Amino acid sequence: MSAHDSAVLERHGLKPDEYDRIVQALGREPSLTELGIFSVMWSEHCSYKSSRIHLKKLPTRGPRVLQGPGENAGAVDIGGGLAAVFKIESHNHPSFIEPYQGAATGVGGIIRDIFTMGARPIALLNSLRFGPMDGATGARTRRTVEGVVAGIAGYGNSIGIPTIGGEIAFEDCYAGNPLVNVMCLGIARSDALVKGNAGGVGNPVYYVGARTGRDGIHGATMASAEFDDRSAEKRPAVQVGDPFMEKLLLEACLELMKGDALIGVQDMGAAGLTCATSEMGARGGCGIEIDVQHVPQRETGMTPYEIMLSESQERMLLVVKRGREAEVEAIFQKWDLHAARIGSVTETGLLQVKSRGETVAEIPNAALVDEAPVYDRPTARPRYLDEVHRLDLESLTPVSPQQALGSLLSSPTIASKRWVYRQYDHMVRTNTLVLAGMGAGVVRVKGTPRALAMSTDGNGRYCYLDPRRGAMLALAEAARNVACAGAVPIGATNCLNFGNPEKPDIMWGLVEAIEGLSDACRALDIPITGGNVSLYNETDGRAIFPTPVIGVVGLIEDASCALGRSFRAAGSEIVLLGASVGRGDAEPKGRAASAGLGGSEYLKILHGLIAGDVPHLDLEAERALLALLAKATAGRLLLSAHDCSDGGLAVTLAESAFDSGGIGCLVDLPAEGAMGEWDVLADLFGEAGGRVVVSVAAGSLGPLMDLAAECGVPARRVGRTGGDRIAVTVGGRAAIDWKLADAERLWSEALAQYFARPAA
Amino acid sequence: MKARVFVTLKPSVLDPQGRTIADALHSMGYTGVGDVRQGKYFELDVDAPSADQTRAVAAEVADKLLANPVIESYRIEVDG
Amino acid sequence: MKFAVVVFPGSNCDHDAYHAARHVLGQDAVFVWHKETSLQGADAVILPGGFSHGDYLRTGAIARFSPVMNTVTAFARGGGPVLGICNGFQILLEAGLLPGAMLRNKDLKFHCEHVHLRVEQTDTPFTLRAPVGQTLRIPIAHGEGNYFAEPDVLRDLEASRRVVFRYCDTSGIATPGSNPNGAVNNIAGICNEGRNVVGLMPHPERACEPALGSADGLVLFESVVSALAAQASLP
């Protein structure tokens, strides 16, 4: 019989067989402190035990990759001796319990991951998912949205890192489980990337930053369990962020990293001191010995268990060279920080924790990190898939294109996100070339001619219908978005948000998505350099849609070539690049138009349906399109570029006219044979990938068409910018004819209107 | 000794936070709640031998830092 | 000429001000750490934007106790040009170098967006190159920019022509709709009695290059360069 009863194990989220493995690893029964340490390190959040074998399928290498998965963040070479260091991470569970602090500390955590690598953070993005803004849960969702947005703003604005982009979508399945995924990118010297290694027996281990309190104990295990009615009681587990403390840590650490006194550094995020000490030891192949009495504490009477498991924010663990202590301490003192020496590096390979000299835990680092359980969990294709692919358009009443466009432009997912990004400081550091509009954000890299474009994308609806192709579409869209800004995609980071992996149908979706992502990354030559897996996104047994979110980073060699999505001049030519219509060229016409509208925002908003086959995707065509966009932007042929995604071509055209200073458009889409109502709707609102609307000066039309032919990308001139209307015909037949100012007002005010209501 | 300092906006200064809270309360049906003014609350542990001296230290600190006399006023309570 | 950009631990627009002065304007610029007491011979001082000491109590409340502020105050009293941008403006208010105080934005939200400003006074070192009534398109980024002053202070500010910038619409008219934060009389920036200390909530350093969306902020920096050049050329 074990020293800990089953209730204790359950509270720690450990299964009986996992407990047996602990006993085996130690050769004895663990103490309660040791049990706590194992429980957080072997939690899903820290060990990736359900996803690890599948994540290995992702391509992580490439000529530009300087650091793949396994460190605090990934890094790619951007030329000029510089590296872009970036990662995306989730903070879903904390943001559900306390939206402001949950989101704020999510931002704080990802920023630490970036500067820990020796990079100065220069951009933040976030990918958010919420429930519907109205209906039974609407009031709560609106409060959650307000809290999350204010939390992101509160942290990012204070620390002075611009939030330059991201996306937000609303779907029923997120009502009880919102998603908050945050991405950060920083710039470092390629030859000065800092690792999270311990090393050099006898070197001192320092603790710097906020004092340790009881907040966040078992945050990592919380992020590895489903929510239920009792989740509100877990409130104390949420940490409170202090962006000013983080700013001090950021500046002090970057100053320290300029010298060579530092061996390695890691932030204390999930699983706090436990994770930092054991991972640094494991990476460096050495041991770390600490005494918790030296850990600065905010509360009195904290036990070693609590100190080891606390997830108090804004704390860093550093290993520095022996003999350089005074130098290190002086730098932190300059920033009014106290660096506390809490232990030293040993040769034992053990994590040794003492309390006033007495050993309270002694565990091989390898057992905590490298030998954590790995599961090949059973998978089963969910039954619902047989149902949702059936889509009988004949049973629906088609909506007029203009009415449909109005409904889509005012739907929260498509409506302008100005209400949100106006709360984010998106200009600080004076690098932002393409202002936030929640498309790709573009920042220049000062001191070089270059700029970087970033986009995060993911569509839970597609992944619900087809996780494999949905994940491919997410990568393709993010890549297309940065390409539209004039960039060549050079790396990606992923955040995989799924339900409970112990359920075979959820696990099936996870595996499908990873494999789809992997195929798409290979086809488009975009390596994944790191990321995060967030599982158990379920409330009361209801899982979210499978939601892989992909962040892609692209390089613009000449920052002055950076492009926005809005039309720039009246009288320019509008060209549709890629398959000509919404259903994709490969899809047959007629009754099968359903294929073109499958999974679309149109079907969801206008008919309340999430059904059909997900949009068409041709990775070879996508690759050709990316190449064309790179050449066309570098050759300064384009005035604007905007990809077709949520809401299809009609929404893309409207959005290209928005924020342009009132430049309308006159567009005629080709008709092929007799077009039924559904064919027209599919052309306008179908969401097939691989399509981009560009505007070009009249004189550039010829060269663009030649270049498109050379790259093997279908290109068709479909209209001209100008006038004060959005006018679209299909085969000469009027479909949409709307005063731009009216459409733009509808689009720009829709989201804010939800918050004008009293927050009762 | 413990001193408690309450800092509030002067009556002449518009308090947007207080007004927002009042609006929310009214929309929740608390029509009996009139105006709401929000403020800041500080607890100071002061090493001083008497209540008077504790109060004097608290007042000095409030004047210098805790309150901005242009927009805020304060009130002090001392234990004991 | 030489700009001193004061760096508080929570300053985050210090690099932007430095970049504008050094790389856009081509002038000399130095960072001055808040614990220092020398301005390193600078001709003009910029208090940049940010969250000087976290600003959890009140914006700028703690910054005024930094050692460098004694030096800045002496520099200002001696007639040296001092520009407070956003948090720098808030610090100048807390330090008593400019009158009034900041309240939270009337909608309680942080606002980051381009606004329009009308240049009301051109006899300050930071506006002398701008024609009176010129409309500038410059971004704001703040949560507490709702300028407040008691009625008598306000009357005095207006009477002595010390409101330097006012929020306005695209045609230069100060309307309620063009006021982003509820500031009294649409006030975006003011100066002291000596007119050498100017504070404003908008960020001119973010509007110095066309690539960033506007170069309208450059005139503030060019003005002080002109002002100092004119001063230097005096016998």
Side-chain angles (χ1 to χ4, degrees), chain A residues 90-120:
Chain A
S90 68
H91 233 218
N92 306 336
H93 297 80
S95 303
F96 176 61
I97 293 177
E98 213 307 292
Y100 184 99
Q101 294 297 345
T105 53
V107 173
I110 195 67
I111 292 172
R112 284 196 297 283
D113 280 338
I114 301 308
F115 76 72
T116 298
M117 296 286 294
R120 175 169 286 279

Side-chain angles (χ1 to χ4, degrees), chain A residues 146 157-158 160 242-244 247-248 334-336 418-419 422-430 444 446, chain C residues 9-12 16 19 33 35 51-54 56 107 109-113 139 141 205-206 209 212:
Chain A
E146 290 211 274
N157 298 355
S158 303
D242 179 353
F244 180 59
K247 167 82 166 142
L248 301 179
K334 173 190 165 186
W335 293 93
D336 296 324
R418 181 166 175 270
W419 180 88
R422 192 174 73 160
Q423 297 183 54
Y424 302 149
D425 189 336
H426 48 266
M427 307 178 194
V428 62
R429 304 198 67 80
T430 59
R444 65 180 174 186
K446 282 201 188 104
Chain C
S11 295
N12 60 34
D16 303 352
H19 175 77
W33 181 237
K35 290 178 186 170
F51 290 74
S52 46
H53 282 81
Y56 297 123
D107 67 356
K109 298 246 183 312
F110 191 97
H111 283 229
C112 176
E113 59 196 335
E205 82 284 12
R206 295 187 183 186
E209 296 164 86
L212 300 176

Side-chain angles (χ1 to χ4, degrees), chain A residues 430, chain C residues 5 13-22 29 46 48 85 205 221:
Chain A
T430 59
Chain C
V5 178
C13 304
D14 46 343
H15 288 272
D16 303 352
Y18 181 92
H19 175 77
R22 184 83 182 237
I46 298 176
I85 300 168
E205 82 284 12
F221 300 98

Side-chain angles (χ1 to χ4, degrees), chain A residues 215-285:
Chain A
D215 47 345
I217 291 175
H218 280 310
T221 39
M222 181 177 81
S224 307
E226 293 177 32
F227 275 110
D228 54 36
D229 291 342
R230 301 201 319 272
S231 297
E233 294 166 20
K234 293 180 180 165
R235 220 173 257 270
V238 170
Q239 317 92 302
V240 171
D242 179 353
F244 180 59
M245 172 62 80
E246 179 128 324
K247 167 82 166 142
L248 301 179
L249 282 174
L250 185 164
E251 298 295 348
C253 285
L254 290 181
E255 196 170 321
L256 176 63
M257 289 162 178
K258 280 184 196 153
D260 65 349
L262 186 72
I263 301 279
V265 57
Q266 180 152 340
D267 87 294
M268 291 180 240
L273 191 52
T274 291
C275 184
T277 46
S278 57
E279 285 193 354
M280 286 186 77
R283 284 200 201 101

